[in-house]
């Protein structure tokens, strides 16, 4: 079993920045794909960004050029640096670890961007 704990959410003005962190209870980055998802009220959960075990990264079109995913293997931590935030980025952000048919989820952290 793996526990994921997110932090770093909050209220920020449009154009501002936040950095989300996700700490894993075990060293899993060599196997699991680490993802950041988000879910806005009334909308489906969507994939925001991923980093594979080999370090390849992917981003949703809506956040390309503004968000950066990274990880610190020594700290078992994945980050999501979010710049130039927009009101439409408002959502609960979830950390996910995925490998084959296994998924672990964090509890989520709220990000609210005011206009």
């Amino acid at each position: 079993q793996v526990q994921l704990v997110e932090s770093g959410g909050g209220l920020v003005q449009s154009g501002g920045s936040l950095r989300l962190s996700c700490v894993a209870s075990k060293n899993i980055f060599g196997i699991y794909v680490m993802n950041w998802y988000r879910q806005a009220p009334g909308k489906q959960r969507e994939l925001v960004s991923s980093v594979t075990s080999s370090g390849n990264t992917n981003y949703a079109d809506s956040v390309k050029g503004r968000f950066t995913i990274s990880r610190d293997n020594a700290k078992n931590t994945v980050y999501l640096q979010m710049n130039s935030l927009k009101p439409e980025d408002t959502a609960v952000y979830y950390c996910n670890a995925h490998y084959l048919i296994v998924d672990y989820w964090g509890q989520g952290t709220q990000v609210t961007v005011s206009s």
Side-chain angles (χ1 to χ4, degrees), residues 1 14 16 25 27 29 33 39 44-45 49 61-64 67 71 79 83 88 92 95 97 100 112-113:
Q1 194 75 4
S14 182
S25 59
N27 186 343
F29 296 165
V33 177
Q39 187 167 20
Q44 288 188 332
R45 191 172 295 190
S49 183
D61 288 343
S62 59
V63 306
K64 279 181 182 176
F67 290 11
R71 66 185 189 199
Y79 302 99
N83 299 328
E88 51 263 44
V92 178
C95 181
L100 297 180
T112 303
V113 184

Side-chain angles (χ1 to χ4, degrees), residues 41-83:
K43 295 189 177 181
Q44 288 188 332
R45 191 172 295 190
E46 65 170 343
L47 180 61
V48 175
S49 183
S50 300
V51 57
T52 68
S53 57
S54 58
N56 294 320
T57 59
N58 287 287
Y59 299 92
D61 288 343
S62 59
V63 306
K64 279 181 182 176
R66 300 188 298 122
F67 290 11
T68 303
I69 191 170
S70 62
R71 66 185 189 199
D72 185 332
N73 293 340
K75 296 182 178 179
N76 293 342
T77 302
V78 177
Y79 302 99
L80 186 68
Q81 178 66 44
M82 306 186 295
N83 299 328

